[in-house]
Short mmCIF file of all heavy atoms in Angstrom, two decimals:
data_model
loop_
_atom_site.label_atom_id
_atom_site.label_comp_id
_atom_site.label_asym_id
_atom_site.label_seq_id
_atom_site.Cartn_x
_atom_site.Cartn_y
_atom_site.Cartn_z
N LEU A 205 100.03 107.94 90.25
CA LEU A 205 101.10 108.95 90.18
C LEU A 205 102.04 108.71 89.00
O LEU A 205 102.97 109.50 88.77
CB LEU A 205 101.91 108.93 91.49
CG LEU A 205 101.17 109.42 92.74
CD1 LEU A 205 101.98 109.13 94.00
CD2 LEU A 205 100.88 110.93 92.64
N ALA A 206 101.78 107.61 88.28
CA ALA A 206 102.57 107.27 87.08
C ALA A 206 104.05 107.10 87.39
O ALA A 206 104.91 107.58 86.65
CB ALA A 206 102.37 108.33 86.00
N ILE A 207 104.34 106.41 88.49
CA ILE A 207 105.73 106.09 88.83
C ILE A 207 105.78 104.62 89.27
O ILE A 207 104.76 104.03 89.59
CB ILE A 207 106.28 107.01 89.95
CG1 ILE A 207 105.44 106.86 91.23
CG2 ILE A 207 106.36 108.44 89.50
CD1 ILE A 207 105.98 107.65 92.41
N SER A 208 106.98 104.06 89.29
CA SER A 208 107.13 102.66 89.69
C SER A 208 107.00 102.52 91.20
O SER A 208 107.08 103.51 91.94
CB SER A 208 108.48 102.13 89.24
OG SER A 208 109.52 102.75 89.99
N ARG A 209 106.81 101.29 91.67
CA ARG A 209 106.72 101.03 93.11
C ARG A 209 108.01 101.44 93.82
O ARG A 209 107.98 101.95 94.92
CB ARG A 209 106.44 99.56 93.37
CG ARG A 209 105.01 99.14 93.11
CD ARG A 209 104.75 97.74 93.62
NE ARG A 209 104.98 97.65 95.06
CZ ARG A 209 104.84 96.51 95.74
NH1 ARG A 209 104.52 95.39 95.13
NH2 ARG A 209 105.05 96.51 97.05
N VAL A 210 109.14 101.19 93.15
CA VAL A 210 110.43 101.54 93.74
C VAL A 210 110.55 103.05 93.90
O VAL A 210 110.99 103.56 94.94
CB VAL A 210 111.59 100.98 92.88
CG1 VAL A 210 112.93 101.51 93.41
CG2 VAL A 210 111.57 99.47 92.86
N GLN A 211 110.16 103.78 92.84
CA GLN A 211 110.21 105.25 92.91
C GLN A 211 109.28 105.78 94.01
O GLN A 211 109.63 106.72 94.72
CB GLN A 211 109.81 105.84 91.56
CG GLN A 211 110.84 105.67 90.46
CD GLN A 211 110.34 106.17 89.12
OE1 GLN A 211 109.23 105.85 88.70
NE2 GLN A 211 111.16 106.97 88.45
N LEU A 212 108.09 105.18 94.11
CA LEU A 212 107.14 105.60 95.15
C LEU A 212 107.73 105.38 96.53
O LEU A 212 107.64 106.26 97.41
CB LEU A 212 105.83 104.82 95.00
CG LEU A 212 104.75 105.16 96.04
CD1 LEU A 212 104.21 106.56 95.82
CD2 LEU A 212 103.61 104.13 96.01
N TYR A 213 108.34 104.22 96.72
CA TYR A 213 108.92 103.90 98.02
C TYR A 213 110.00 104.93 98.39
O TYR A 213 110.00 105.47 99.50
CB TYR A 213 109.52 102.49 98.01
CG TYR A 213 110.14 102.09 99.33
CD1 TYR A 213 109.37 101.46 100.30
CD2 TYR A 213 111.47 102.39 99.62
CE1 TYR A 213 109.92 101.12 101.53
CE2 TYR A 213 112.03 102.06 100.85
CZ TYR A 213 111.25 101.42 101.79
OH TYR A 213 111.81 101.09 103.00
N ARG A 214 110.89 105.20 97.43
CA ARG A 214 111.99 106.13 97.71
C ARG A 214 111.47 107.54 98.02
O ARG A 214 111.95 108.22 98.92
CB ARG A 214 112.94 106.17 96.52
CG ARG A 214 113.77 104.89 96.35
CD ARG A 214 114.57 104.95 95.07
NE ARG A 214 115.41 103.75 94.91
CZ ARG A 214 116.05 103.43 93.78
NH1 ARG A 214 115.95 104.23 92.72
NH2 ARG A 214 116.79 102.35 93.73
N LYS A 215 110.47 107.96 97.25
CA LYS A 215 109.95 109.32 97.40
C LYS A 215 109.22 109.49 98.73
O LYS A 215 109.46 110.44 99.47
CB LYS A 215 108.98 109.60 96.24
CG LYS A 215 108.70 111.07 96.00
CD LYS A 215 109.78 111.68 95.15
CE LYS A 215 109.37 113.05 94.63
NZ LYS A 215 110.46 113.72 93.92
N ILE A 216 108.32 108.56 99.02
CA ILE A 216 107.54 108.64 100.27
C ILE A 216 108.46 108.50 101.48
O ILE A 216 108.33 109.22 102.48
CB ILE A 216 106.45 107.55 100.31
CG1 ILE A 216 105.41 107.80 99.21
CG2 ILE A 216 105.78 107.50 101.68
CD1 ILE A 216 104.60 109.05 99.39
N LYS A 217 109.41 107.59 101.42
CA LYS A 217 110.34 107.38 102.51
C LYS A 217 111.18 108.62 102.75
O LYS A 217 111.42 109.03 103.90
CB LYS A 217 111.26 106.19 102.18
CG LYS A 217 112.16 105.77 103.33
CD LYS A 217 111.37 105.14 104.47
CE LYS A 217 112.28 104.60 105.56
NZ LYS A 217 111.52 104.09 106.71
N LYS A 218 111.61 109.26 101.68
CA LYS A 218 112.42 110.48 101.77
C LYS A 218 111.65 111.63 102.41
O LYS A 218 112.19 112.37 103.25
CB LYS A 218 112.89 110.88 100.36
CG LYS A 218 113.54 112.27 100.29
CD LYS A 218 113.70 112.70 98.83
CE LYS A 218 114.09 114.17 98.75
NZ LYS A 218 114.08 114.68 97.36
N LEU A 219 110.39 111.78 102.04
CA LEU A 219 109.61 112.93 102.49
C LEU A 219 108.90 112.73 103.82
O LEU A 219 108.60 113.71 104.52
CB LEU A 219 108.58 113.31 101.41
CG LEU A 219 109.16 113.77 100.07
CD1 LEU A 219 108.05 113.98 99.05
CD2 LEU A 219 109.97 115.05 100.24
N THR A 220 108.57 111.50 104.17
CA THR A 220 107.78 111.27 105.38
C THR A 220 108.42 110.33 106.40
O THR A 220 107.90 110.19 107.51
CB THR A 220 106.41 110.68 105.00
OG1 THR A 220 106.59 109.34 104.51
CG2 THR A 220 105.70 111.53 103.95
N ASP A 221 109.52 109.67 106.00
CA ASP A 221 110.14 108.65 106.86
C ASP A 221 109.24 107.44 107.09
O ASP A 221 109.41 106.70 108.04
CB ASP A 221 110.56 109.23 108.22
CG ASP A 221 111.86 110.03 108.12
OD1 ASP A 221 112.66 109.72 107.22
OD2 ASP A 221 112.05 110.95 108.92
N LYS A 222 108.24 107.30 106.21
CA LYS A 222 107.33 106.14 106.29
C LYS A 222 107.42 105.34 105.00
O LYS A 222 107.74 105.89 103.94
CB LYS A 222 105.88 106.61 106.49
CG LYS A 222 105.56 107.25 107.81
CD LYS A 222 104.07 107.58 107.87
CE LYS A 222 103.67 108.14 109.22
NZ LYS A 222 104.15 109.51 109.43
N THR A 223 107.11 104.05 105.10
CA THR A 223 106.94 103.26 103.88
C THR A 223 105.62 103.67 103.26
O THR A 223 104.74 104.22 103.94
CB THR A 223 106.91 101.76 104.19
OG1 THR A 223 105.73 101.48 104.96
CG2 THR A 223 108.15 101.33 104.96
N PRO A 224 105.40 103.42 101.95
CA PRO A 224 104.11 103.77 101.34
C PRO A 224 102.93 103.14 102.07
O PRO A 224 101.89 103.80 102.25
CB PRO A 224 104.25 103.21 99.91
CG PRO A 224 105.71 103.31 99.63
CD PRO A 224 106.37 102.97 100.94
N ALA A 225 103.06 101.88 102.50
CA ALA A 225 101.96 101.22 103.20
C ALA A 225 101.65 101.93 104.52
O ALA A 225 100.48 102.16 104.86
CB ALA A 225 102.31 99.76 103.46
N ASP A 226 102.69 102.30 105.27
CA ASP A 226 102.51 103.01 106.54
C ASP A 226 101.93 104.41 106.30
O ASP A 226 101.09 104.89 107.06
CB ASP A 226 103.83 103.13 107.28
CG ASP A 226 104.31 101.81 107.86
OD1 ASP A 226 103.46 100.90 108.01
OD2 ASP A 226 105.52 101.67 108.13
N PHE A 227 102.38 105.04 105.22
CA PHE A 227 101.91 106.38 104.86
C PHE A 227 100.41 106.36 104.57
O PHE A 227 99.66 107.21 105.05
CB PHE A 227 102.69 106.88 103.65
CG PHE A 227 102.16 108.16 103.05
CD1 PHE A 227 102.26 109.35 103.73
CD2 PHE A 227 101.57 108.16 101.79
CE1 PHE A 227 101.78 110.54 103.18
CE2 PHE A 227 101.11 109.32 101.22
CZ PHE A 227 101.19 110.52 101.92
N ILE A 228 99.97 105.38 103.78
CA ILE A 228 98.55 105.25 103.44
C ILE A 228 97.71 104.94 104.67
O ILE A 228 96.66 105.52 104.90
CB ILE A 228 98.34 104.16 102.35
CG1 ILE A 228 99.01 104.61 101.04
CG2 ILE A 228 96.86 103.88 102.12
CD1 ILE A 228 99.06 103.54 99.97
N ARG A 229 98.22 104.02 105.52
CA ARG A 229 97.49 103.67 106.74
C ARG A 229 97.38 104.87 107.67
O ARG A 229 96.32 105.13 108.26
CB ARG A 229 98.20 102.53 107.46
CG ARG A 229 97.44 101.99 108.67
CD ARG A 229 98.24 100.97 109.47
NE ARG A 229 98.73 99.91 108.62
CZ ARG A 229 100.02 99.74 108.31
NH1 ARG A 229 100.95 100.54 108.82
NH2 ARG A 229 100.40 98.75 107.53
N SER A 230 98.46 105.62 107.80
CA SER A 230 98.47 106.80 108.66
C SER A 230 97.47 107.83 108.16
O SER A 230 96.76 108.46 108.95
CB SER A 230 99.87 107.40 108.70
OG SER A 230 99.90 108.57 109.47
N PHE A 231 97.40 108.00 106.84
CA PHE A 231 96.44 108.96 106.26
C PHE A 231 95.01 108.54 106.59
O PHE A 231 94.18 109.36 107.00
CB PHE A 231 96.63 109.03 104.75
CG PHE A 231 95.68 109.97 104.07
CD1 PHE A 231 95.95 111.32 103.99
CD2 PHE A 231 94.50 109.50 103.49
CE1 PHE A 231 95.06 112.21 103.37
CE2 PHE A 231 93.61 110.36 102.87
CZ PHE A 231 93.89 111.71 102.81
N ARG A 232 94.70 107.26 106.44
CA ARG A 232 93.35 106.75 106.74
C ARG A 232 93.02 106.97 108.22
O ARG A 232 91.91 107.37 108.58
CB ARG A 232 93.26 105.27 106.40
CG ARG A 232 93.35 104.94 104.91
CD ARG A 232 93.13 103.44 104.70
NE ARG A 232 93.37 103.01 103.33
CZ ARG A 232 92.48 103.11 102.34
NH1 ARG A 232 91.32 103.67 102.59
NH2 ARG A 232 92.77 102.68 101.13
N LEU A 233 93.97 106.68 109.12
CA LEU A 233 93.74 106.84 110.55
C LEU A 233 93.53 108.30 110.93
O LEU A 233 92.69 108.62 111.79
CB LEU A 233 94.92 106.24 111.33
CG LEU A 233 95.04 104.72 111.28
CD1 LEU A 233 96.39 104.28 111.85
CD2 LEU A 233 93.88 104.05 112.04
N GLN A 234 94.30 109.19 110.33
CA GLN A 234 94.14 110.62 110.62
C GLN A 234 92.77 111.12 110.16
O GLN A 234 92.14 111.95 110.83
CB GLN A 234 95.25 111.41 109.95
CG GLN A 234 96.60 111.23 110.61
CD GLN A 234 97.73 111.86 109.83
OE1 GLN A 234 97.50 112.64 108.90
NE2 GLN A 234 98.96 111.51 110.16
N GLU A 235 92.31 110.61 109.02
CA GLU A 235 90.98 110.99 108.55
C GLU A 235 89.91 110.44 109.49
O GLU A 235 88.89 111.10 109.76
CB GLU A 235 90.76 110.46 107.12
CG GLU A 235 91.55 111.20 106.06
CD GLU A 235 91.15 112.67 105.96
OE1 GLU A 235 89.94 112.95 105.92
OE2 GLU A 235 92.05 113.53 105.97
N ALA A 236 90.13 109.22 109.99
CA ALA A 236 89.18 108.64 110.94
C ALA A 236 89.14 109.46 112.24
O ALA A 236 88.06 109.73 112.78
CB ALA A 236 89.57 107.19 111.25
#
């Protein structure tokens, strides 16, 4: 996404209320 880890954290947290790690895990589980 061409952004820093800090920017990713803030953006994902703002939009989903999840940390990036939780967001990625949740996406994988939903696909499963």
Side-chain angles (χ1 to χ4, degrees):
L205 292 170
I207 59 176
S208 69
R209 284 190 60 181
V210 173
Q211 288 175 312
L212 179 69
Y213 181 90
R214 289 174 178 169
K215 198 83 167 174
I216 295 295
K217 188 69 174 175
K218 169 192 169 187
L219 296 174
T220 69
D221 281 333
K222 292 183 175 73
T223 66
D226 288 340
F227 171 69
I228 294 171
R229 186 187 307 111
S230 177
F231 180 84
R232 293 185 187 278
L233 290 169
Q234 288 172 12
E235 287 298 312

